């Protein structure tokens, strides 16, 4: 049903969901519309790190580093069920690396102030091997350990948008904005929105519209002004996922310099090993970006320099790509050198666009955006409350929930589902700890509408093991169909469409296994 809103947010990625949570927390009426699924695209394809950005320190962007380190601390404070400390080791193979990187990382830690995660110190060769038993030993002299944060990106986003809804926000999944309306003075005053499932269309009024569509923000701007100059210089980054044997400990590896000017990480994540990332400029952003052969080879070659057992293509369980919505600067050719600072742009029509930034600083970006949106819309001034606002799922002792720990305070409700129906406690695949009850929970409570929603973003099956996810798809479709009242034809269509997407996560795309 159409209604008037103070703010209407286009885009269900981290920026959009962060803005919706901030605005709702202040008591503004807010609606968010996402044309596909919440967290689809860039926001679910990160390196799973909550960090200040060591590379930005080297670039001299001290203010961004300090802001990110503070936000890192606030994220751990407000979402401890999903954000935790992680030790990173910088291995040294020449005499100068440990003192050189040790000094820089001590400065990095010092800039954290009272938001420190752990001490930075130099390690002997023996200590380095204790942290990283699979590190290449030939020529190893020692290393440096520092601490940053790790999280599950799409799980946190779902909890953030749930927090927004709990504060009164209206959230529309699979709802595409197809037009913007203007008042007599030419300022935007509403939107036309299409339900992607039913085809129904509604018009709703809004005092200000926020364009938070990331890499696709220029397309929304051109709905108002076809001649709008592009803001975005899209860059692709990919990750490879292997089994835990490549990094069996609880520490990560940080490679401070790669040939493309980035840092590279190998991190333990959900009992697997995740390695990335690349930074390759692309002409246009796509909804399902695919890793290139060159990117895959680059990560394999770089990882092979540091791991005693060099990973091969046959070891890759899944590979995924994401598009960074970097704001243009200069010729935009070297995207690795572009700052991750965010930009807020207001068109002559009053459309407010937010772009750039990084996952870690989403809260501060949202606060800045809502402040400017409130001024633009002449809303009552209200203070931001998100510095201390607990994220939905907040729980301090998630270890007691075992494999359901990422659900935080929602975990007992999922356990209740299994007690009421023991069949829901079954694992959907022997190689992943995901159970049937999680599918039911995601469909009932987390706006999951497709098999891909469940296997890619509500659980992380597709990102962890693409072949296992393909094998799980029929059972997931069956469980969802029962919840949504769908027939067998819908199930077959869902499985087929998921398989099409999942092939892009396989190194050698082809027919899914029988």
């Amino acid at each position: 049903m159409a209604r008037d809103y103070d703010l209407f947010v286009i885009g269900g990625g981290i920026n959009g969901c962060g803005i919706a949570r901030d605005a709702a927390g202040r008591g503004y009426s807010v609606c968010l519309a996402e044309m596909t699924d919440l967290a689809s695209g860039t926001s679910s394809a990160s390196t799973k790190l909550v960090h200040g950005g060591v590379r930005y320190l080297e670039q001299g962007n001290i203010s961004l580093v300090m802001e990110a380190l503070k936000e890192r601390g606030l994220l751990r404070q407000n979402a401890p069920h999903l954000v935790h400390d992680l030790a990173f080791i910088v291995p040294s193979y020449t005499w100068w690396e440990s003192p050189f990187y040790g000094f820089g990382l001590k400065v990095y830690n010092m800039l954290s102030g009272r938001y420190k995660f752990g001490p930075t110190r130099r390690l002997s060769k023996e200590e380095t091997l204790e942290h990283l038993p699979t590190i290449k030993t030939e020529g190893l002299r020692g290393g440096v350990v520092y601490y940053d944060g790790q999280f599950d990106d799409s799980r946190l986003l779902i909890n953030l948008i749930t927090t927004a809804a709990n504060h009164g926000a209206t959230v529309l999944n699979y709802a595409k904005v197809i037009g913007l309306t203007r008042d007599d003075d030419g300022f935007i005053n509403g939107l036309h929105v299409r339900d992607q499932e039913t085809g129904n269309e509604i018009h709703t009024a809004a005092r200000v519209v926020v364009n938070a569509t990331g890499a696709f923000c220029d397309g929304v701007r051109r709905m108002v002004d076809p001649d709008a100059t592009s803001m975005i210089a899209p860059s692709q980054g990919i990750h490879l996922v292997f089994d835990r044997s490549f990094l069996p400990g609880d520490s990560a590896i940080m490679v401070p310099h790669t040939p493309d000017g980035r840092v590279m990480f190998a991190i333990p994540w959900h009992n697997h090993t995740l390695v990335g990332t690349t930074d390759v400029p692309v002409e246009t952003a796509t909804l399902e970006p695919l890793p290139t052969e060159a990117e895959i080879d680059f990560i394999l070659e770089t990882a092979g320099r540091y791991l005693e057992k060099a990973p091969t293509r046959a070891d890759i369980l899944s590979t995924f790509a994401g598009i960074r919505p970097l704001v243009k600067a200069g010729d935009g050719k070297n995207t690795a050198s572009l700052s991750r600072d965010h930009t807020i742009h207001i068109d002559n029509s009053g459309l407010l666009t937010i772009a750039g930034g990084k996952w870690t600083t989403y809260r501060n970006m949202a606060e800045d955006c809502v402040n400017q949106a409130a001024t633009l819309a002449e809303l009552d001034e209200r203070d931001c409350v998100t510095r201390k606002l607990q994220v939905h799922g907040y729980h301090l002792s998630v270890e007691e929930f075992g494999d359901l720990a990422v659900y935080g305070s929602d975990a007992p409700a999922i356990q209740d589902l299994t007690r009421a129906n023991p069949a829901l406690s079954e694992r959907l695949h022997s190689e992943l700890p995901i159970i049937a009850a999680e599918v039911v929970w995601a469909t009932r409570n987390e706006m999951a509408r497709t098999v891909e929603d469940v296997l890619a973003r509500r659980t992380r099956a597709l990102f962890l093991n693409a072949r296992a996810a393909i094998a799980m798809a029929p059972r997931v479709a069956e469980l969802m169909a029962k919840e949504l009242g769908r027939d067998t034809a819908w199930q077959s269509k869902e499985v087929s469409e998921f398989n099409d997407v999942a092939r892009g996560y396989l190194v050698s795309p082809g027919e899914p296994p029988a």
Side-chain angles (χ1 to χ4, degrees):
M1 179 179 294
R3 56 166 287 191
D4 294 351
Y5 292 97
D6 293 328
L7 286 86
F8 194 105
V9 183
I10 310 174
I14 181 51
N15 280 347
C17 291
I19 291 162
R21 182 185 74 133
D22 185 301
R26 300 189 200 200
Y28 296 132
S29 60
V30 56
C31 181
L32 177 144
E34 163 57 44
M35 71 174 182
T36 54
D37 182 37
L38 298 163
S40 58
T42 303
S43 293
S44 60
S46 76
T47 312
K48 324 306 178 192
L49 300 181
V50 179
H51 63 134
V54 174
R55 184 164 56 87
Y56 313 137
L57 180 63
E58 185 179 7
Q59 292 173 354
N61 197 338
I62 304 298
S63 60
L64 176 61
V65 173
M66 292 185 70
E67 173 198 328
L69 288 171
K70 178 182 178 180
E71 293 299 325
R72 180 191 71 173
L74 293 177
L75 253 175
R76 182 180 61 173
Q77 168 188 299
N78 296 324
H81 60 300
L82 284 170
V83 181
H84 62 86
D85 300 8
L86 182 64
F88 288 79
I89 313 299
V90 182
S92 60
Y93 290 88
T94 60
W95 66 267
W96 59 268
E97 287 180 305
S98 281
F100 179 78
Y101 293 123
F103 174 77
L105 290 168
K106 281 185 179 293
V107 173
Y108 180 74
N109 193 45
M110 179 189 69
L111 293 174
S112 304
R114 63 189 180 93
Y115 297 100
K116 288 182 174 66
F117 271 31
T120 298
R121 65 184 183 91
R122 290 168 62 177
L123 302 175
S124 67
K125 176 180 178 180
E126 291 71 26
E127 289 175 315
T128 301
L129 288 170
E130 286 179 12
H131 282 277
L132 302 172
T134 54
I135 195 76
K136 186 167 286 186
T137 57
E138 184 180 353
L140 181 67
R141 290 171 173 262
V144 179
V145 60
Y146 75 100
Y147 290 81
D148 245 323
Q150 183 180 35
F151 77 136
D152 185 314
D153 46 19
S154 67
R155 287 301 320 163
L156 180 55
L157 185 144
I158 294 298
N159 282 178
L160 286 169
I161 199 61
T162 303
T163 310
N166 291 343
H167 282 79
T170 300
V171 183
L172 306 176
N173 212 16
Y174 289 96
K176 184 177 182 178
V177 173
I178 57 173
L180 297 156
T181 59
R182 306 197 206 195
D183 62 20
D184 293 339
D185 295 319
F187 292 100
I188 291 173
N189 63 0
L191 311 91
H192 294 290
V193 183
R194 177 188 296 133
D195 184 323
Q196 298 283 69
E197 290 186 343
T198 66
N200 295 336
E201 297 179 10
I202 62 167
H203 174 266
T204 188
R207 295 178 68 175
V208 63
V209 174
V210 177
N211 173 16
T213 54
F216 303 96
C217 72
D218 288 329
V220 174
R221 292 175 59 233
R222 290 185 182 121
M223 292 172 66
V224 182
D225 177 7
D227 299 320
T229 303
S230 296
M231 291 177 57
I232 300 300
S235 163
Q236 175 163 297
I238 79 157
H239 298 80
L240 306 182
V241 179
F242 307 95
D243 67 41
R244 182 175 169 79
S245 66
F246 287 91
L247 203 63
D250 296 324
S251 300
I253 301 172
M254 194 274 273
V255 178
H257 282 288
T258 63
D260 70 347
R262 291 187 59 80
V263 298
M264 181 169 285
F265 296 99
I267 66 173
W269 188 64
H270 287 318
N271 210 35
H272 288 70
T273 300
L274 185 151
V275 185
T277 177
T278 56
D279 197 321
V280 179
V282 293
E283 287 295 321
T284 57
T286 58
L287 282 173
E288 290 290 347
L290 296 175
T292 65
E293 296 298 310
E295 288 178 293
I296 292 170
D297 290 340
F298 173 82
I299 292 182
L300 287 173
E301 192 275 332
T302 304
R305 296 181 189 177
Y306 292 89
L307 296 174
E308 195 68 56
K309 176 189 173 186
T312 68
R313 298 174 77 87
D315 297 311
I316 300 172
L317 298 177
S318 189
T319 177
F320 60 91
I323 303 294
R324 301 180 189 89
L326 305 180
V327 178
K328 280 188 174 180
D331 60 13
K333 292 180 180 178
N334 181 14
T335 52
S337 68
L338 294 186
S339 170
R340 267 53 175 178
D341 280 323
H342 70 276
T343 294
I344 292 178
H345 176 82
I346 301 174
D347 287 302
N348 292 334
S349 64
L351 176 67
L352 190 156
T353 297
I354 182 167
K358 57 202 292 284
W359 238 109
T360 306
T361 57
Y362 87 90
R363 191 213 62 81
N364 186 60
M365 293 164 59
E367 180 178 353
D368 186 12
C369 182
V370 175
N371 286 343
Q372 296 204 38
T375 299
L376 185 64
E378 299 182 1
L379 302 175
D380 294 337
E381 288 190 14
R382 297 173 183 173
D383 292 336
C384 174
V385 300
T386 57
R387 281 184 177 85
K388 297 182 178 180
L389 183 61
Q390 293 179 353
V391 174
H392 179 88
Y394 179 97
H395 198 283
L396 292 173
S397 304
V398 294
E399 296 81 7
E400 64 187 270
F401 302 135
D403 293 330
L404 297 176
V406 292
Y407 293 93
S409 61
D410 284 335
I414 300 175
Q415 292 172 334
D416 287 342
L417 291 175
T418 65
R419 281 188 280 268
N421 181 359
L424 295 181
S425 64
E426 66 173 307
R427 277 196 177 196
L428 300 180
H429 195 280
S430 61
E431 294 184 22
L432 294 171
I434 299 161
I435 61 174
E438 294 177 69
V439 181
V440 174
W441 176 262
T443 309
R444 291 181 185 177
N445 300 284
E446 295 181 343
M447 301 182 74
R449 306 297 295 174
T450 71
V451 168
E452 182 190 345
D453 296 347
V454 170
L455 288 176
R457 291 171 289 276
R458 304 309 185 276
T459 71
R460 308 317 306 271
L462 181 57
F463 284 72
L464 294 170
N465 188 324
R467 293 190 182 278
I470 289 169
M472 294 160 67
R475 177 60 174 149
V476 171
E478 180 185 2
L479 289 163
M480 294 187 74
K482 184 176 180 180
E483 292 297 316
L484 298 172
R486 308 296 193 189
D487 57 19
T488 54
W490 179 88
Q491 294 180 47
S492 297
K493 180 173 179 289
E494 277 295 309
V495 171
S496 175
E497 291 181 353
F498 176 74
N499 286 346
D500 288 343
V501 171
R503 288 187 184 97
Y505 289 69
L506 297 169
V507 172
S508 299
E511 292 298 319

